[in-house]
Amino acid sequence: MKTLGVLPSAIAGAIPTLQWILEPASCPPLYFEPLDRMSEIRRNGTPFSPVTSSAVQEIVTDIPAAVDFLTTNIDSSSDASEEKRRHYFSLCSVALILLGHGYTDEAHDLVTPLSWPDETHFGYGSPVYSSIHPEALTMATYIHSLIHRREAFNLGEFGMRGFQNVNYWTKAAITSPAEESLPYRRIRETILRHAANGNSDGKKWCQERILDEGKELGDTTGDYWEPRALHELCGII
């Protein structure tokens, strides 16, 4: 029987301050540096300052410790395969918290070994792409797409801008083995709800890119969602 622990105060305190804003000040270029080097870069100051608080700072000060705490304290199961799975999801959870506070490189370092098969100089640990639990692979790939969306128009890997690279990672996420576990339905509903209370441009975009496009493609359930269209919207605004 699983016994759930309590979230550490730093992680619990960081969740309410997550932000997903997309504006120039919140879309920094990636440095593609490992965690220890990023810690040094942050101490020296960067042009794009992440959102910080005492809770977030506690996590950033020792990211491996935050991951290890989630891995070992949230579930008391001693099964080796379950512990590995828990470790992968702990990496994803901490990456989301970091990303939601502007620590894009640190988040990128955590999810790259989970979602990319090749060794990198900045990834936190060796690649586990070929052996990772399918749902963890899908989640890490999805987070990887969010990282490059936040990279926005900045030039990054393989000579691509963030909005170009995000399309690669989104396709990888929606064709991954556990695509059905991703929160696309909730995202669709949230965007439609916000658009209904927003300006005419938002309503027009939702009508054309969600509702009308879905009908044209034969959607009869009202579930149609093309996640790459959201990147387009973020690029426009």
Side-chain angles (χ1 to χ4, degrees):
M1 181 177 179
K2 294 182 178 180
T3 302
L4 296 179
V6 178
L7 283 174
S9 58
I11 291 178
I15 291 173
T17 56
L18 287 166
Q19 296 183 30
W20 300 102
I21 52 177
L22 275 172
E23 55 187 30
S26 72
C27 300
L30 289 168
Y31 288 88
F32 304 104
E33 296 288 353
L35 292 179
D36 55 352
R37 174 64 181 138
M38 283 310 304
S39 180
E40 183 181 327
I41 290 171
R42 300 294 185 199
R43 283 198 302 271
N44 292 333
T46 61
F48 297 86
S49 298
V51 177
T52 191
S53 65
S54 58
V56 176
Q57 198 56 49
E58 186 177 338
I59 295 170
V60 174
T61 299
D62 195 343
I63 293 171
V67 173
D68 290 345
F69 187 97
L70 285 179
T71 302
T72 58
N73 287 276
I74 298 306
D75 191 326
S76 63
S77 170
S78 59
D79 179 79
S81 62
E82 179 59 27
E83 185 172 349
K84 276 189 177 180
R85 180 178 181 274
R86 199 162 60 244
H87 176 66
Y88 299 147
F89 277 107
S90 295
L91 287 164
C92 288
S93 299
V94 174
L96 279 170
I97 289 173
L98 293 168
L99 178 60
H101 291 90
Y103 291 91
T104 49
D105 269 280
E106 291 84 347
H108 194 235
D109 291 352
L110 295 186
V111 300
T112 295
L114 307 182
S115 53
W116 183 249
D118 300 330
E119 195 79 46
T120 65
H121 73 279
F122 57 81
Y124 179 62
S126 299
V128 293
Y129 178 87
S130 60
S131 59
I132 189 174
H133 187 279
E135 286 190 3
L137 170 62
T138 298
M139 181 54 65
T141 304
Y142 174 64
I143 296 168
H144 209 142
S145 75
L146 297 181
I147 290 165
H148 287 294
R149 188 167 77 198
R150 193 149 189 173
E151 190 183 18
F153 291 106
N154 292 296
L155 200 61
E157 293 172 304
F158 308 110
M160 290 190 291
R161 299 195 183 278
F163 280 129
Q164 295 172 305
N165 207 353
V166 68
N167 284 326
Y168 168 84
W169 285 103
T170 300
K171 183 177 180 180
I174 63 180
T175 57
S176 60
E179 181 269 343
E180 72 282 353
S181 67
L182 295 174
Y184 285 139
R185 177 190 285 270
R186 291 179 61 187
I187 293 171
R188 178 187 191 275
E189 292 172 351
T190 300
I191 289 175
L192 286 172
R193 186 171 65 251
H194 282 302
N197 299 320
N199 60 34
S200 58
D201 289 340
K203 292 176 182 177
K204 182 174 183 291
W205 184 89
C206 285
Q207 184 65 46
E208 293 176 352
R209 297 296 270 124
I210 300 178
L211 303 177
D212 293 346
E213 195 170 289
K215 289 179 182 177
E216 289 172 9
L217 294 174
D219 174 43
T220 58
T221 62
D223 289 336
Y224 173 76
W225 176 246
E226 169 50 80
R228 285 165 289 197
L230 181 55
H231 312 326
E232 171 193 304
L233 177 63
C234 292
I236 292 171
I237 61 173

